[in-house]
Amino acid sequence: FGFREADARNNFSSLPEPHRLVNYDDEVSQAQHPKKAWVAPEASVDKSKIYSGQEEAWDQNTEQLFEQNPSWEDVRWLKREVCRDLPLIVKGIMTAEDAIEAKKAGADGVMVSNHGGRGLDSALPTIDVLPEIVAAVGDQFPVLLDSGIRRGTDVLKALALGATAVGIGKPLFFALSVGGEDAVLNLLQMFQRETEAAMAICGCKSVSDV
């Protein structure tokens, strides 16, 4: 996930007691899913460092929750065993080649994302790689986009370049932390107003006109 300098600077390396990521605790997982049918047989997740604070930043410890060597076979397994009746969207796609591989592996769509720049400093913006990905998978395959969506004009630009939909992350959490549910509602209304205004100025009556 990269190195979170702000977390290290603020000594945020683990959750303070008694807080826990209970949905990841072994005892909770075993009680709720005794057969663990949802866990890939080859999964190898080391949970020993999650609460240790061994690394300087929180992400370096929590990244131990995740499989370190995912492959396209994992995507095929997820679609076959877990998402039979649910759409499977592969997030983190930044190249046409990976979008094609995701589609071949059975994904129902992809999300073009650099995870908000959390992983690699100076990574390409998602809006720059969107057109080649849309061209590679075709307009009948859902291509979502996030990372950098801050205004309604950002939504319009993504749609114009072929995105099926966009996701918003940081603005939502900023609003939630400042003003709770009411602020999140206000944020979504702002996005709607800005998007509708941008579309009108561009002469678009509906999303299909973009």
Side-chain angles (χ1 to χ4, degrees):
F1 292 144
F3 184 72
R4 298 297 186 83
E5 295 176 356
D7 286 353
R9 190 163 54 247
N10 294 321
N11 294 318
F12 179 44
S13 59
S14 63
L15 291 179
E17 291 289 348
H19 303 291
R20 297 186 66 80
L21 298 174
V22 295
N23 50 321
Y24 289 109
D25 280 351
D26 277 335
E27 57 270 24
V28 174
S29 297
Q30 290 171 359
Q32 293 178 348
H33 307 279
K35 295 183 180 180
K36 287 194 171 185
W38 48 272
V39 176
E42 64 274 17
S44 56
V45 179
D46 177 15
K47 298 183 179 180
S48 62
K49 299 201 306 183
I50 297 174
Y51 302 107
S52 68
Q54 178 177 333
E55 303 293 339
E56 291 184 72
W58 172 239
D59 261 13
Q60 276 62 61
N61 292 309
T62 57
E63 68 185 12
Q64 302 305 314
L65 287 166
F66 304 100
E67 174 60 47
Q68 302 296 302
N69 299 292
S71 69
W72 296 117
E73 182 55 40
D74 293 314
V75 176
R76 283 185 279 272
W77 178 87
L78 282 169
K79 188 59 184 177
R80 184 178 67 248
E81 301 292 339
V82 182
C83 299
R84 298 188 189 96
D85 302 316
L86 294 172
L88 175 62
I89 308 297
V90 177
K91 183 182 179 187
I93 299 299
M94 288 291 288
T95 66
E97 292 82 359
D98 278 349
I100 292 170
E101 289 298 325
K103 187 176 182 179
K104 288 180 180 177
D108 299 293
V110 295
M111 176 167 271
V112 181
S113 176
N114 60 23
H115 308 297
R118 291 156 51 109
L120 176 64
D121 188 23
S122 300
L124 285 170
T126 54
I127 199 74
D128 286 354
V129 302
L130 175 62
E132 72 171 57
I133 291 172
V134 172
V137 296
D139 57 9
Q140 299 303 307
F141 188 74
V143 177
L144 292 74
L145 176 139
D146 75 356
S147 305
I149 301 296
R150 298 292 182 269
R151 303 292 301 268
T153 47
D154 298 327
V155 177
L156 179 62
K157 285 182 282 188
L159 295 176
L161 290 172
T164 308
V166 302
I168 55 173
K170 289 187 177 72
L172 186 149
F173 291 110
F174 291 160
L176 183 64
S177 64
V178 170
E181 181 179 349
D182 290 342
V184 172
L185 177 60
N186 183 58
L187 169 75
L188 296 176
Q189 290 172 338
M190 287 173 59
F191 263 103
Q192 181 178 356
R193 288 195 302 269
E194 292 174 1
T195 303
E196 290 174 347
M199 288 172 58
I201 293 169
C202 290
C204 300
K205 294 182 178 179
S206 67
V207 171
S208 61
D209 292 333
V210 175

